[in-house]
Amino acid sequence: MIEKAVSYWQQAGERSKARSAMTEAIVQMRRALDLLSHLPDTPGRQGTETDLQLALGGALIAAKGHAAEETGRAYARARCLCKSLNDTPNLLKALWGEFVHYHVRGETDRSHRIAEDLLDLAGRQNDAAILVAGHRAVGDSWLHRGQLALARAHLERGLAMYDPELQRSLTALFAENARVAMLSFLSLTCGLLGFADQARVQSNDALAEARDSSHPISLAFALSVACRLHFVLDDADMVGRRAEELVALTTEQGFAFFLAMGTAYRGWSLAEAGDAEAGVDLLRRGIEGFQASGAAWTLPFYLAQLAAAEANAARFETGLGQLSDALALTQKLGVRWFEAELHRRRGELMLMARPGAAAEAETEFRHAIAIARQQEAKLWELRSAVNLARLWRDQDKADEARGLLAPVYGWFNEGFDIRDLKESKALLQDLWV
């Protein structure tokens, strides 16, 4: 019966390679697991089940998302089997799966502990391939917790250690190519740190690597993070282009999780282009799909996109409510990379919605600047400084405005074509008049 189970498993692998038909692959793996469940609980049966559960976890990430309950069950079962068998190499893989499951669900304290355990155990075992995964996991975790310098260090270390020969066999386990993922997250990290040119190069490299690999889930991953990067850089046209490709790819491949993200990005870009109602509708559909997968870790970010679309429709109070929800979620989840920008956006909307809200808005801008400085997020610091400097200019405080904005703007040495730096330069020139 083990031989028949393995046959189903092999059929699953061939199906997924031939047509990226993850749904069919998952059906075959479940059949194999069902057959194994009727066999005596021997080490041989447990070893076969371990391999199957790990493979199933990777397939479920593609089909249902990292945060899906079934994805978590597959990796949890694999971890239990590995401990029973004292199978450290596969335990490392199971830990990876549990990290990404809890990370995407927004259980950041739990996922961060797993990531550090993974990196520590991989180091003690001297497992080079899993060490890369460990640095990727810890770097990803620090990024979303708002510790950008730590994130950059781990992601760069993982990239330096990356060996395509060692990693090739693990792509199915990780769902996406590890180099693509690390380059993608490094691009977002560098963008937030204030290195827009480097960020765009890294994002383009991730996309090129994904296309060259002919691996659809890696391309979906790279496109989704590219959308996020260009949203951060306030480039609506590029977000729209990447989102269109992401939606087309994920619709064809049946990647529901990434399709939900692409739908949300399309909605925001439509709202920015002037079609606020269609944009709000797509954003709501994307957020619903994102939540349906069990994901939560970037929900505050998508709520901010929805708030921006509502503001484009002049529904300022609705947008403020969504930003308040996003901030409450940020506190609950501990996903702080977007926290400064949420405060800045709330201050901005207060000025639009409520006459006489200057003092409240100034508090929000100051809070945003303080958070950005703590995180070394120079892009967020600059953007918030522009808002506060404008407010002070309008209050005839030009000297204070210059004193705030000039040092932040002067720090930058690249990315002068992005909107934030153009607006900062124009505002400083105005303040000198």
Side-chain angles (χ1 to χ4, degrees):
M1 197 175 287
I2 285 184
E3 290 77 7
K4 190 171 183 180
V6 171
S7 175
Y8 280 131
W9 180 15
Q10 291 171 340
Q11 290 177 50
E14 291 306 314
R15 286 177 184 273
S16 61
K17 289 176 185 175
R19 295 184 283 119
S20 298
M22 289 296 175
T23 301
E24 287 298 318
I26 290 167
V27 168
Q28 297 295 341
M29 291 182 201
R30 285 173 178 156
R31 287 177 179 171
L33 287 168
D34 181 63
L35 283 173
L36 287 174
S37 69
H38 298 290
L39 295 177
D41 195 22
T42 63
R45 191 206 68 79
Q46 290 180 353
T48 301
E49 185 187 351
T50 299
D51 291 337
L52 265 169
Q53 294 286 6
L54 291 171
L56 179 61
L60 286 166
I61 286 174
K64 296 190 175 185
H66 307 73
E69 293 285 354
E70 191 176 356
T71 305
R73 285 196 298 271
Y75 286 119
R77 174 60 178 162
R79 175 175 51 79
C80 290
L81 289 164
C82 290
K83 288 186 174 180
S84 175
L85 293 167
N86 197 26
D87 182 352
T88 300
N90 275 330
L91 175 60
L92 290 167
K93 299 173 187 177
L95 284 172
W96 159 260
E98 289 203 296
F99 157 73
V100 75
H101 173 68
Y102 290 113
H103 179 61
V104 175
R105 289 180 69 86
E107 299 182 36
T108 53
D109 289 340
R110 185 172 187 176
S111 65
H112 191 77
R113 289 194 298 270
I114 294 171
E116 292 191 320
D117 287 346
L118 171 63
L119 183 59
D120 177 66
L121 184 56
R124 285 190 278 116
Q125 293 295 314
N126 198 27
D127 188 321
I130 303 295
L131 264 172
V132 170
H135 282 293
R136 172 193 162 181
V138 174
D140 181 0
S141 181
W142 280 129
L143 163 61
H144 289 91
R145 290 161 71 93
Q147 297 297 319
L148 303 179
L150 287 170
R152 184 180 187 180
H154 280 283
L155 291 168
E156 288 180 341
R157 180 73 181 276
L159 282 165
M161 297 176 64
Y162 179 84
D163 181 337
E165 293 301 319
L166 288 174
Q167 293 290 323
R168 186 172 292 117
S169 64
L170 296 176
T171 297
L173 167 68
F174 298 148
E176 65 281 332
N177 177 284
R179 179 172 166 79
V180 169
M182 289 186 290
L183 280 170
S184 296
F185 283 137
L186 184 60
S187 74
L188 182 57
T189 303
C190 285
L192 294 168
L193 286 167
F195 304 106
D197 290 344
Q198 293 177 51
R200 287 179 289 196
V201 168
Q202 291 154 350
S203 179
N204 288 335
D205 286 349
L207 288 165
E209 180 97 8
R211 295 186 207 284
D212 288 346
S213 71
S214 299
H215 192 243
I217 195 72
S218 295
L219 181 56
F221 187 99
L223 285 167
S224 70
V225 182
C227 285
R228 195 168 9 151
L229 169 67
H230 291 293
F231 174 83
V232 164
L233 297 178
D234 204 13
D235 187 345
D237 180 63
M238 186 59 78
V239 172
R241 288 163 56 187
R242 298 300 190 216
E244 289 289 341
E245 185 179 357
L246 178 59
V247 168
L249 172 69
T250 53
T251 299
E252 176 188 350
Q253 297 292 334
F255 299 157
F257 174 65
F258 288 103
L259 175 59
M261 290 192 281
T263 301
Y265 288 119
R266 277 188 67 192
W268 177 78
S269 61
L270 276 176
E272 290 295 298
D275 195 345
E277 298 304 333
V280 167
D281 179 63
L282 281 179
L283 271 160
R284 290 189 181 281
R285 284 166 49 191
I287 289 170
E288 287 171 4
F290 183 79
Q291 291 179 291
S293 75
W297 97 116
T298 53
L299 184 55
F301 168 74
Y302 292 117
L303 289 174
Q305 287 187 316
L306 183 58
E310 294 284 11
N312 285 336
R315 293 189 287 267
F316 303 121
E317 290 294 342
T318 301
L320 282 168
Q322 286 153 350
L323 290 176
S324 294
D325 290 344
L327 280 163
L329 270 173
T330 296
Q331 295 297 320
K332 176 183 177 183
L333 301 175
V335 180
R336 301 188 177 278
W337 73 278
F338 202 67
E339 185 177 12
E341 180 68 349
L342 287 172
H343 283 285
R344 185 198 72 83
R345 285 169 180 261
R346 188 157 73 167
E348 197 172 50
L349 272 189
M350 283 176 174
L351 292 175
M352 295 178 185
R354 303 170 183 171
E360 290 178 280
E362 179 171 337
T363 298
E364 292 294 335
F365 297 147
R366 286 181 177 275
H367 196 176
I369 290 168
I371 294 168
R373 287 174 176 169
Q374 186 273 324
Q375 295 181 356
E376 301 180 57
K378 281 293 181 181
L379 183 64
W380 294 155
E381 183 183 356
L382 178 69
R383 194 171 292 177
S384 298
V386 166
N387 280 104
L388 185 52
R390 282 179 179 150
L391 183 62
W392 284 348
R393 176 200 60 188
D394 296 342
Q395 296 171 341
D396 297 323
K397 299 178 181 177
D399 289 344
E400 292 93 329
R402 275 196 309 273
L404 170 70
L405 183 57
V408 186
Y409 177 78
W411 177 91
F412 285 81
N413 58 17
E414 64 175 83
F416 291 102
D417 61 324
I418 68 172
R419 182 173 171 178
D420 293 290
L421 284 164
K422 288 179 179 179
E423 290 186 353
S424 301
K425 181 179 180 180
L427 179 55
L428 281 169
Q429 290 171 340
D430 182 48
L431 290 168
W432 281 107
V433 174

